[in-house]
Every structure is written in structure tokens, then in C-alpha cells.
Amino acid sequence: MDLKKIDAPLTTTTYNRNAVDAPTGNIYEAISIISRRAEQINSEIKKELIEKLEEFATYNDSLEEVFENKEQIEVSKFYEKLPKPHALAVKEWLDSKIYYRNTEEDNQK
């Protein structure tokens, strides 16, 4: 996921209910799919952030000394300014970039 090319909204946005539930025909199913994708996005972003912060980590034995690393601060600020995972998931859903399938329909065939 390229976080620099994301065009999801940073603030709360009202979406057309009919556009959200159009692919599934059920608003609850659509929200369930979007929430699962938001959880995936959140874990990806968290993993990426931890990896980047580990690059700049300094380890010391003294608990009294706290070092502020400018690189770590800049990385943290970048991730704080990103849209929330649920906004990214809704954007992907509305752009038809999320693959989903109904396992109950697959079992009936």
C-alpha cells in the first residue's frame, strides 16, 4: 500500500447509503466487509510504522535518560497525518478495490 498516494478523506464524511450497499445489496454485509478491510489496513500500517521506528531506535540501560530522535518524530508525524483505516477501507470499497465473496452462496452451489 502506497501511503503517499492515498486520497481518502482526513475528516468525517457522509456517504451515500445506496452507493455503499450497492455491491452486496445489504448495508450490514457491506459494513462488515469494510470493517474487516479496515482491520487489515490498520495492522499493515502498524507493522510498517513499527519497522520504520525500529530503524532509528536507540537502546540504553538507563531509564532516566530519554532521547528524542528527530527521525522518529518525523516518521510518527507522517503516520499521524494519514487518514484513518476505516476511511481508507470505505474509499477502497467505493472504488471497487475490495474482493469479497459470500461463503454461504458458495456452499449452496
Side-chain angles (χ1 to χ4, degrees):
M1 175 182 305
D2 191 7
L3 297 174
K4 294 182 181 180
K5 295 181 181 178
I6 296 173
D7 60 346
L10 295 172
T11 59
T12 304
T13 306
T14 303
Y15 295 100
N16 181 356
R17 178 188 170 277
N18 295 330
V20 173
D21 71 0
T24 60
N26 185 336
I27 188 70
Y28 301 107
E29 187 176 350
I31 290 173
S32 175
I33 294 167
I34 292 169
S35 69
R36 289 183 185 150
R37 178 62 183 144
E39 290 173 5
Q40 292 173 345
I41 292 171
N42 188 41
S43 65
E44 290 173 15
I45 290 174
K46 186 175 181 180
K47 180 182 173 188
E48 190 174 314
L49 173 62
I50 290 171
E51 288 174 359
K52 287 188 179 185
L53 290 177
E54 286 292 320
E55 294 175 13
F56 305 112
T58 56
Y59 300 101
N60 56 355
D61 294 333
S62 175
L63 295 175
E64 296 173 2
E65 294 182 46
V66 176
F67 294 102
E68 291 185 4
N69 191 333
K70 290 182 181 181
E71 291 86 6
Q72 284 179 323
I73 293 171
E74 291 300 317
V75 168
S76 295
K77 284 183 180 179
F78 171 77
Y79 280 91
E80 287 175 4
K81 292 178 184 178
L82 288 177
K84 302 291 183 223
H86 65 271
L88 297 171
V90 170
K91 177 70 174 156
E92 287 182 0
W93 178 254
L94 294 175
D95 292 345
S96 301
K97 294 182 180 177
I98 297 178
Y99 169 78
Y100 68 95
R101 62 187 173 98
N102 189 336
T103 55
E104 290 179 10
E105 290 177 3
D106 292 345
N107 291 338
Q108 292 176 357
K109 293 181 181 179

mmCIF file of all heavy atoms in Angstrom, residues 41-71:
data_model
loop_
_atom_site.group_PDB
_atom_site.id
_atom_site.type_symbol
_atom_site.label_atom_id
_atom_site.label_comp_id
_atom_site.label_asym_id
_atom_site.label_seq_id
_atom_site.Cartn_x
_atom_site.Cartn_y
_atom_site.Cartn_z
ATOM 1 N N ILE A 41 -5.988 -3.052 7.082
ATOM 2 C CA ILE A 41 -5.214 -1.838 6.806
ATOM 3 C C ILE A 41 -4.526 -1.356 8.072
ATOM 4 O O ILE A 41 -3.347 -0.979 8.049
ATOM 5 C CB ILE A 41 -6.127 -0.738 6.220
ATOM 6 C CG1 ILE A 41 -6.594 -1.132 4.822
ATOM 7 C CG2 ILE A 41 -5.410 0.608 6.187
ATOM 8 C CD1 ILE A 41 -7.671 -0.230 4.247
ATOM 9 N N ASN A 42 -5.243 -1.379 9.185
ATOM 10 C CA ASN A 42 -4.676 -0.937 10.450
ATOM 11 C C ASN A 42 -3.458 -1.778 10.829
ATOM 12 O O ASN A 42 -2.430 -1.237 11.248
ATOM 13 C CB ASN A 42 -5.728 -0.989 11.552
ATOM 14 C CG ASN A 42 -5.238 -0.365 12.831
ATOM 15 O OD1 ASN A 42 -4.588 0.669 12.823
ATOM 16 N ND2 ASN A 42 -5.563 -1.001 13.946
ATOM 17 N N SER A 43 -3.550 -3.079 10.682
ATOM 18 C CA SER A 43 -2.409 -3.940 11.031
ATOM 19 C C SER A 43 -1.239 -3.723 10.083
ATOM 20 O O SER A 43 -0.081 -3.748 10.510
ATOM 21 C CB SER A 43 -2.826 -5.408 11.065
ATOM 22 O OG SER A 43 -3.212 -5.850 9.793
ATOM 23 N N GLU A 44 -1.513 -3.475 8.795
ATOM 24 C CA GLU A 44 -0.437 -3.190 7.842
ATOM 25 C C GLU A 44 0.278 -1.894 8.197
ATOM 26 O O GLU A 44 1.517 -1.835 8.191
ATOM 27 C CB GLU A 44 -0.998 -3.073 6.419
ATOM 28 C CG GLU A 44 -1.469 -4.361 5.813
ATOM 29 C CD GLU A 44 -2.164 -4.150 4.468
ATOM 30 O OE1 GLU A 44 -2.032 -3.049 3.883
ATOM 31 O OE2 GLU A 44 -2.832 -5.082 4.006
ATOM 32 N N ILE A 45 -0.477 -0.858 8.504
ATOM 33 C CA ILE A 45 0.110 0.435 8.849
ATOM 34 C C ILE A 45 0.902 0.330 10.150
ATOM 35 O O ILE A 45 2.013 0.861 10.265
ATOM 36 C CB ILE A 45 -0.982 1.518 8.946
ATOM 37 C CG1 ILE A 45 -1.541 1.824 7.562
ATOM 38 C CG2 ILE A 45 -0.436 2.792 9.582
ATOM 39 C CD1 ILE A 45 -2.715 2.777 7.554
ATOM 40 N N LYS A 46 0.356 -0.369 11.127
ATOM 41 C CA LYS A 46 1.035 -0.531 12.409
ATOM 42 C C LYS A 46 2.352 -1.280 12.236
ATOM 43 O O LYS A 46 3.382 -0.884 12.792
ATOM 44 C CB LYS A 46 0.127 -1.274 13.384
ATOM 45 C CG LYS A 46 0.671 -1.370 14.774
ATOM 46 C CD LYS A 46 -0.334 -2.015 15.705
ATOM 47 C CE LYS A 46 0.190 -2.106 17.115
ATOM 48 N NZ LYS A 46 -0.768 -2.738 18.021
ATOM 49 N N LYS A 47 2.336 -2.342 11.448
ATOM 50 C CA LYS A 47 3.545 -3.124 11.195
ATOM 51 C C LYS A 47 4.603 -2.258 10.504
ATOM 52 O O LYS A 47 5.770 -2.270 10.884
ATOM 53 C CB LYS A 47 3.206 -4.338 10.332
ATOM 54 C CG LYS A 47 4.383 -5.205 10.003
ATOM 55 C CD LYS A 47 3.973 -6.359 9.108
ATOM 56 C CE LYS A 47 5.176 -7.134 8.648
ATOM 57 N NZ LYS A 47 4.837 -8.136 7.634
ATOM 58 N N GLU A 48 4.167 -1.493 9.505
ATOM 59 C CA GLU A 48 5.083 -0.630 8.763
ATOM 60 C C GLU A 48 5.670 0.454 9.662
ATOM 61 O O GLU A 48 6.866 0.746 9.602
ATOM 62 C CB GLU A 48 4.335 -0.006 7.588
ATOM 63 C CG GLU A 48 5.218 0.718 6.609
ATOM 64 C CD GLU A 48 4.422 1.175 5.398
ATOM 65 O OE1 GLU A 48 3.631 0.377 4.857
ATOM 66 O OE2 GLU A 48 4.603 2.343 5.009
ATOM 67 N N LEU A 49 4.848 1.034 10.521
ATOM 68 C CA LEU A 49 5.314 2.071 11.434
ATOM 69 C C LEU A 49 6.339 1.517 12.412
ATOM 70 O O LEU A 49 7.385 2.125 12.635
ATOM 71 C CB LEU A 49 4.137 2.677 12.199
ATOM 72 C CG LEU A 49 4.481 3.668 13.311
ATOM 73 C CD1 LEU A 49 5.209 4.881 12.747
ATOM 74 C CD2 LEU A 49 3.229 4.095 14.053
ATOM 75 N N ILE A 50 6.065 0.364 12.978
ATOM 76 C CA ILE A 50 6.993 -0.243 13.934
ATOM 77 C C ILE A 50 8.322 -0.548 13.263
ATOM 78 O O ILE A 50 9.392 -0.318 13.837
ATOM 79 C CB ILE A 50 6.371 -1.499 14.571
ATOM 80 C CG1 ILE A 50 5.233 -1.090 15.502
ATOM 81 C CG2 ILE A 50 7.411 -2.316 15.315
ATOM 82 C CD1 ILE A 50 4.396 -2.235 16.019
ATOM 83 N N GLU A 51 8.284 -1.061 12.024
ATOM 84 C CA GLU A 51 9.524 -1.347 11.300
ATOM 85 C C GLU A 51 10.343 -0.088 11.073
ATOM 86 O O GLU A 51 11.561 -0.089 11.243
ATOM 87 C CB GLU A 51 9.214 -2.013 9.959
ATOM 88 C CG GLU A 51 8.733 -3.429 10.074
ATOM 89 C CD GLU A 51 8.298 -4.014 8.739
ATOM 90 O OE1 GLU A 51 8.361 -3.296 7.708
ATOM 91 O OE2 GLU A 51 7.882 -5.191 8.723
ATOM 92 N N LYS A 52 9.680 1.005 10.692
ATOM 93 C CA LYS A 52 10.399 2.253 10.442
ATOM 94 C C LYS A 52 10.953 2.847 11.728
ATOM 95 O O LYS A 52 12.055 3.397 11.731
ATOM 96 C CB LYS A 52 9.495 3.256 9.735
ATOM 97 C CG LYS A 52 9.259 2.886 8.299
ATOM 98 C CD LYS A 52 8.527 3.956 7.553
ATOM 99 C CE LYS A 52 8.343 3.527 6.099
ATOM 100 N NZ LYS A 52 7.742 4.559 5.286
ATOM 101 N N LEU A 53 10.207 2.752 12.819
ATOM 102 C CA LEU A 53 10.693 3.290 14.088
ATOM 103 C C LEU A 53 11.852 2.472 14.640
ATOM 104 O O LEU A 53 12.740 3.013 15.298
ATOM 105 C CB LEU A 53 9.558 3.372 15.105
ATOM 106 C CG LEU A 53 8.487 4.422 14.832
ATOM 107 C CD1 LEU A 53 7.393 4.343 15.874
ATOM 108 C CD2 LEU A 53 9.067 5.815 14.758
ATOM 109 N N GLU A 54 11.847 1.168 14.372
ATOM 110 C CA GLU A 54 12.939 0.312 14.830
ATOM 111 C C GLU A 54 14.264 0.686 14.176
ATOM 112 O O GLU A 54 15.320 0.509 14.767
ATOM 113 C CB GLU A 54 12.619 -1.162 14.566
ATOM 114 C CG GLU A 54 11.595 -1.748 15.502
ATOM 115 C CD GLU A 54 12.097 -1.875 16.920
ATOM 116 O OE1 GLU A 54 13.269 -2.243 17.118
ATOM 117 O OE2 GLU A 54 11.308 -1.579 17.837
ATOM 118 N N GLU A 55 14.211 1.223 12.967
ATOM 119 C CA GLU A 55 15.436 1.628 12.283
ATOM 120 C C GLU A 55 16.169 2.722 13.041
ATOM 121 O O GLU A 55 17.390 2.797 13.010
ATOM 122 C CB GLU A 55 15.115 2.137 10.870
ATOM 123 C CG GLU A 55 14.590 1.093 9.936
ATOM 124 C CD GLU A 55 14.184 1.675 8.588
ATOM 125 O OE1 GLU A 55 14.536 2.834 8.288
ATOM 126 O OE2 GLU A 55 13.506 0.960 7.833
ATOM 127 N N PHE A 56 15.422 3.581 13.735
ATOM 128 C CA PHE A 56 16.011 4.717 14.421
ATOM 129 C C PHE A 56 16.116 4.512 15.932
ATOM 130 O O PHE A 56 16.495 5.427 16.655
ATOM 131 C CB PHE A 56 15.184 5.977 14.161
ATOM 132 C CG PHE A 56 14.995 6.276 12.702
ATOM 133 C CD1 PHE A 56 13.742 6.164 12.118
ATOM 134 C CD2 PHE A 56 16.061 6.664 11.912
ATOM 135 C CE1 PHE A 56 13.556 6.439 10.775
ATOM 136 C CE2 PHE A 56 15.882 6.938 10.572
ATOM 137 C CZ PHE A 56 14.635 6.831 10.005
ATOM 138 N N ALA A 57 15.773 3.348 16.406
ATOM 139 C CA ALA A 57 15.740 3.101 17.845
ATOM 140 C C ALA A 57 17.140 3.117 18.426
ATOM 141 O O ALA A 57 18.092 2.614 17.842
ATOM 142 C CB ALA A 57 15.069 1.769 18.132
ATOM 143 N N THR A 58 17.242 3.738 19.600
ATOM 144 C CA THR A 58 18.487 3.722 20.355
ATOM 145 C C THR A 58 18.194 3.055 21.684
ATOM 146 O O THR A 58 17.234 3.411 22.370
ATOM 147 C CB THR A 58 19.022 5.145 20.587
ATOM 148 O OG1 THR A 58 18.014 5.919 21.230
ATOM 149 C CG2 THR A 58 19.420 5.805 19.286
ATOM 150 N N TYR A 59 19.009 2.101 22.035
ATOM 151 C CA TYR A 59 18.799 1.355 23.259
ATOM 152 C C TYR A 59 19.851 1.760 24.280
ATOM 153 O O TYR A 59 21.039 1.859 23.974
ATOM 154 C CB TYR A 59 18.874 -0.153 22.986
ATOM 155 C CG TYR A 59 17.844 -0.610 21.990
ATOM 156 C CD1 TYR A 59 18.172 -0.859 20.666
ATOM 157 C CD2 TYR A 59 16.520 -0.760 22.380
ATOM 158 C CE1 TYR A 59 17.213 -1.261 19.753
ATOM 159 C CE2 TYR A 59 15.552 -1.162 21.471
ATOM 160 C CZ TYR A 59 15.910 -1.411 20.168
ATOM 161 O OH TYR A 59 14.955 -1.812 19.267
ATOM 162 N N ASN A 60 19.403 2.007 25.508
ATOM 163 C CA ASN A 60 20.326 2.307 26.588
ATOM 164 C C ASN A 60 19.802 1.655 27.856
ATOM 165 O O ASN A 60 18.638 1.318 27.980
ATOM 166 C CB ASN A 60 20.509 3.820 26.762
ATOM 167 C CG ASN A 60 19.195 4.531 26.997
ATOM 168 O OD1 ASN A 60 18.134 3.930 26.946
ATOM 169 N ND2 ASN A 60 19.272 5.819 27.265
ATOM 170 N N ASP A 61 20.706 1.512 28.830
ATOM 171 C CA ASP A 61 20.347 0.826 30.063
ATOM 172 C C ASP A 61 19.705 1.748 31.092
ATOM 173 O O ASP A 61 19.085 1.292 32.029
ATOM 174 C CB ASP A 61 21.581 0.160 30.678
ATOM 175 C CG ASP A 61 22.098 -0.952 29.794
ATOM 176 O OD1 ASP A 61 21.292 -1.528 29.044
ATOM 177 O OD2 ASP A 61 23.306 -1.252 29.856
ATOM 178 N N SER A 62 19.884 3.032 30.929
ATOM 179 C CA SER A 62 19.371 3.991 31.902
ATOM 180 C C SER A 62 17.918 4.332 31.604
ATOM 181 O O SER A 62 17.577 4.741 30.503
ATOM 182 C CB SER A 62 20.220 5.261 31.877
ATOM 183 O OG SER A 62 19.657 6.212 32.726
ATOM 184 N N LEU A 63 17.078 4.186 32.600
ATOM 185 C CA LEU A 63 15.674 4.518 32.427
ATOM 186 C C LEU A 63 15.424 6.018 32.584
ATOM 187 O O LEU A 63 14.384 6.513 32.195
ATOM 188 C CB LEU A 63 14.818 3.760 33.440
ATOM 189 C CG LEU A 63 14.806 2.243 33.301
ATOM 190 C CD1 LEU A 63 14.024 1.611 34.444
ATOM 191 C CD2 LEU A 63 14.188 1.840 31.978
ATOM 192 N N GLU A 64 16.384 6.719 33.171
ATOM 193 C CA GLU A 64 16.192 8.142 33.428
ATOM 194 C C GLU A 64 16.412 8.992 32.185
ATOM 195 O O GLU A 64 15.844 10.062 32.054
ATOM 196 C CB GLU A 64 17.136 8.596 34.534
ATOM 197 C CG GLU A 64 16.827 7.910 35.865
ATOM 198 C CD GLU A 64 17.865 8.221 36.915
ATOM 199 O OE1 GLU A 64 18.794 8.991 36.617
ATOM 200 O OE2 GLU A 64 17.737 7.694 38.021
ATOM 201 N N GLU A 65 17.241 8.517 31.288
ATOM 202 C CA GLU A 65 17.544 9.287 30.096
ATOM 203 C C GLU A 65 16.556 8.946 28.981
ATOM 204 O O GLU A 65 16.351 7.794 28.664
ATOM 205 C CB GLU A 65 18.959 8.982 29.598
ATOM 206 C CG GLU A 65 20.038 9.443 30.540
ATOM 207 C CD GLU A 65 21.403 9.162 29.967
ATOM 208 O OE1 GLU A 65 21.629 9.452 28.781
ATOM 209 O OE2 GLU A 65 22.235 8.634 30.717
ATOM 210 N N VAL A 66 15.975 9.983 28.404
ATOM 211 C CA VAL A 66 15.070 9.803 27.281
ATOM 212 C C VAL A 66 15.641 10.597 26.116
ATOM 213 O O VAL A 66 15.854 11.796 26.215
ATOM 214 C CB VAL A 66 13.652 10.290 27.617
ATOM 215 C CG1 VAL A 66 12.753 10.185 26.403
ATOM 216 C CG2 VAL A 66 13.086 9.519 28.788
ATOM 217 N N PHE A 67 15.891 9.892 25.031
ATOM 218 C CA PHE A 67 16.442 10.544 23.862
ATOM 219 C C PHE A 67 15.329 10.771 22.849
ATOM 220 O O PHE A 67 14.574 9.860 22.543
ATOM 221 C CB PHE A 67 17.539 9.685 23.218
ATOM 222 C CG PHE A 67 18.747 9.533 24.088
ATOM 223 C CD1 PHE A 67 18.964 8.367 24.801
ATOM 224 C CD2 PHE A 67 19.663 10.563 24.191
ATOM 225 C CE1 PHE A 67 20.070 8.214 25.598
ATOM 226 C CE2 PHE A 67 20.774 10.427 24.991
ATOM 227 C CZ PHE A 67 20.985 9.247 25.703
ATOM 228 N N GLU A 68 15.249 11.993 22.354
ATOM 229 C CA GLU A 68 14.283 12.293 21.303
ATOM 230 C C GLU A 68 15.007 12.256 19.972
ATOM 231 O O GLU A 68 15.903 13.051 19.721
ATOM 232 C CB GLU A 68 13.650 13.662 21.532
ATOM 233 C CG GLU A 68 12.751 13.701 22.736
ATOM 234 C CD GLU A 68 12.045 15.037 22.867
ATOM 235 O OE1 GLU A 68 12.210 15.885 21.980
ATOM 236 O OE2 GLU A 68 11.337 15.205 23.862
ATOM 237 N N ASN A 69 14.629 11.323 19.154
ATOM 238 C CA ASN A 69 15.238 11.156 17.860
ATOM 239 C C ASN A 69 14.384 11.899 16.838
ATOM 240 O O ASN A 69 13.199 11.613 16.682
ATOM 241 C CB ASN A 69 15.329 9.665 17.525
ATOM 242 C CG ASN A 69 16.186 9.403 16.336
ATOM 243 O OD1 ASN A 69 16.326 10.252 15.460
ATOM 244 N ND2 ASN A 69 16.755 8.220 16.293
ATOM 245 N N LYS A 70 14.975 12.844 16.127
ATOM 246 C CA LYS A 70 14.216 13.659 15.172
ATOM 247 C C LYS A 70 13.607 12.821 14.062
ATOM 248 O O LYS A 70 12.505 13.094 13.596
ATOM 249 C CB LYS A 70 15.110 14.750 14.585
ATOM 250 C CG LYS A 70 15.464 15.805 15.583
ATOM 251 C CD LYS A 70 16.303 16.896 14.948
ATOM 252 C CE LYS A 70 16.668 17.927 15.997
ATOM 253 N NZ LYS A 70 17.466 19.015 15.451
ATOM 254 N N GLU A 71 14.310 11.797 13.625
ATOM 255 C CA GLU A 71 13.788 10.939 12.563
ATOM 256 C C GLU A 71 12.535 10.207 13.025
ATOM 257 O O GLU A 71 11.560 10.082 12.282
ATOM 258 C CB GLU A 71 14.838 9.934 12.091
ATOM 259 C CG GLU A 71 16.005 10.546 11.349
ATOM 260 C CD GLU A 71 17.107 11.033 12.282
ATOM 261 O OE1 GLU A 71 17.025 10.793 13.509
ATOM 262 O OE2 GLU A 71 18.040 11.674 11.782
#
